[in-house]
Amino acid sequence: MIVTLIVVCEVGFWVLLAAGLATRYLLKMPRTGIALLLCEPLLEVLLLVVTAIDLKNGADPSWKHGLAALYIGYTVGHGHRTVKWLDGHAAHRFGGAPRPPKPPRYGMARARHEGKVWLGSVTAAAVASGLLLLAALYVGDDGNTDSLYGWIFVAWRAAGIHGLIALSYAIWPKKAPEGAASAVPARDPEHVPDLLVRRPSKDEEQV
């Protein structure tokens, strides 16, 4: 039942997201669209309540309850960024807004971006750990809580691996390819890349 509900919540997340964006930009009903987007956290609340009821009714804690906690944590840590990214592209495609800027690809700017994304993973691990600890306390000494504590390790291991990947961008910054045009405007024509300046022809040089 828990696994089925996780699948339903995942599908419901994307359905509500698509419906909210379509209502906001295609139907020109921004308030209704925002209301639909705000309904998405209710899916996580529903999953949390059903998980608690399942444990209360005597179900043994298992990987299913741990997976539910990780799903809720991921939604809290990364859901807002996902919605914001899609909303920016929908606003550009259907609302006439400027194209959202792409994430930086090179240098320390890329490292800072990866660090911010990693903080989302830390938030996800913290939320999942809190829920798992509450579930373990709720079950008490009468039930087997080893699987719940095991998922806490899984959550922080994933956050740790993600942190090492993000740190690698700071230790070994990715360099921009050679020959990339500079974003700083040149003051003299001789400072402008050859591709951007038309060289005079031989006839023009003889004149």
Side-chain angles (χ1 to χ4, degrees):
M1 177 181 177
I2 299 297
V3 177
T4 302
L5 187 58
I6 292 175
V7 175
V8 171
C9 288
E10 178 66 16
V11 174
F13 173 86
W14 293 105
V15 169
L16 283 175
L17 181 59
L21 295 178
T23 303
R24 187 175 182 182
Y25 295 108
L26 295 181
L27 301 181
K28 307 300 182 181
M29 301 170 63
R31 291 184 178 179
T32 304
I34 293 177
L36 289 173
L37 294 176
L38 292 177
C39 288
E40 291 181 347
L42 296 178
L43 296 174
E44 280 66 52
V45 174
L46 174 63
L47 179 59
L48 179 61
V49 170
V50 172
T51 302
I53 293 176
D54 192 43
L55 292 172
K56 181 66 175 179
N57 291 337
D60 292 330
S62 65
W63 63 271
K64 296 178 293 185
H65 302 96
L67 183 61
L70 259 64
Y71 175 80
I72 295 174
Y74 179 86
T75 303
V76 174
H78 294 285
H80 175 73
R81 182 171 55 86
T82 302
V83 172
K84 184 178 179 181
W85 182 82
L86 290 173
D87 182 72
H89 283 275
H92 167 68
R93 180 66 177 81
F94 303 109
R99 181 186 296 274
K102 294 182 178 180
R105 299 177 58 186
Y106 309 108
M108 293 307 297
R110 173 67 182 271
R112 287 190 292 269
H113 171 75
E114 295 294 335
K116 292 179 180 179
V117 177
W118 171 70
L119 289 179
S121 295
V122 173
T123 301
V127 171
S129 298
L131 294 175
L132 290 167
L133 288 174
L134 289 175
L137 292 174
Y138 183 73
V139 174
D141 298 332
D142 297 333
N144 182 10
T145 57
D146 292 342
S147 62
L148 297 179
Y149 290 114
W151 277 103
I152 295 178
F153 173 75
V154 171
W156 286 106
R157 182 178 62 182
I161 294 174
H162 189 183
L164 291 176
I165 295 174
L167 183 61
S168 68
Y169 286 96
I171 299 176
W172 301 286
K174 189 176 181 181
K175 297 181 180 180
E178 296 182 0
S182 174
V184 180
R187 295 183 178 181
D188 300 317
E190 59 182 335
H191 296 153
V192 180
D194 293 341
L195 294 177
L196 303 180
V197 177
R198 185 181 67 87
R199 292 182 175 274
S201 61
K202 293 183 178 180
D203 295 336
E204 292 174 338
E205 290 179 350
Q206 295 174 357
V207 175

